[in-house]
Amino acid sequence: MIHKKIESYFKEHYTDSPTLIKAPGRINLIGEHTDYNEGLVLPASIEKGIYFAISGNDQHTIQIETFLTQPEKITFQLNGDHEKFESFWGNYFQAIIEILVAKEYPLKGMDCVFGGDIPIGSGLSSSAALCCGFIYAITKISGKEISREDIALIAQEAEHKIGLNCGLMDQYAVLFGKKGNAFFLDCKDLSHSYIPINLEGYSWVLVNSNIKHNLAVDSEYNKRRVSCENIVKQVQKYKPEVTSLRDVTVEDLVTVKSNVKEIDVQRAKYVIEENDRVRKMMKVLTEGDANAVGEVLKEGHWAMSTQYEITTKELDALVQIGESLNGVLGSRMMGGGFGGCTINLIKTDKLEESIKSILTQYKEQTEIDAEYYHLAIDDGVKVFE
């Protein structure tokens, strides 16, 4: 158990009574590329996470250490100064401390050892867990509370500071997640609610295609954002109140189609329909209709493949293999695209044989070894007992 290792390392090197904080990773059940269009998303926080063992110190420094990936120890002064460091993770902590100093938040001396079991680069949002968990840890030591909404904004600002232009879905999922529930977030006004996942006898599994996102992803991502903006600009000419694709209808697409590229219409249609899939998923989850949940997953995947064009042939193969197995109700690529994982809903009594078939057939078709992770829906950031 990773949290036990972190705790015992802390006790050995610092004090014998640390507080343990857990920040979970997150999955997204449906609602891909809707967040920057002020749309709807349906993520959930998971059992895998990042753990922080922390305690106050009287040295007036913030000492942060990991002994797992890229072992390093970084010491920050309370004004944000620090020695040069090697690890990329240090940039997140530096950004957070600088933001809190600028906000005149009363930082106190703290020792922190962290590590986790979120597979890096698997689309489970380890960076949001790292940022949200660390900010929450700071509040526990400094004794001055920051609301979870504000923690999300500070974590987002930290990611922007180091060049990752993310929305707020990941931070909200990590902070507000609730065991056994999906988390519905409206990215337009940040209103949110819990949707119970009533699926007895079914399991969620992530299958990693082991296709890594390449450098082209950023430019492809930006092209899609531009397509969405092009449509909004055209619609605004006769509906000035429209601020994003959230307020655009399929009828509007018909109206503007002669003034824009066909690809822009195709991409905008995907986003509008994806918002509808989020609404549909909320309904069928609440009803506990596993078959319908599987259908929404499949529909979402093939829309990403043919309309938004962000999947890869390997991810399409994983979904097709699942469609040929009667233990798999549905699957889809999860995340920004061009690599990463599929999320799969599988009958629990057919779990082992289904996973084995997926991995075997995928290897035969692509010569790539896929990996899988069992998922359990868990609580958001909390003190871990």
Side-chain angles (χ1 to χ4, degrees), residues 130-144:
L130 190 71
C131 293
C132 295
F134 182 61
I135 299 162
Y136 183 76
I138 283 174
T139 67
K140 289 289 163 223
I141 297 301
S142 299
K144 183 170 192 273

Side-chain angles (χ1 to χ4, degrees), residues 2 64 78 105 133 143 219 226 278 282 299 304 307:
I2 190 74
I64 308 164
L78 296 185
Y105 179 84
S219 64
V226 168
V278 173
M282 288 160 66
E299 199 183 294
M304 285 189 288
Q307 284 178 282

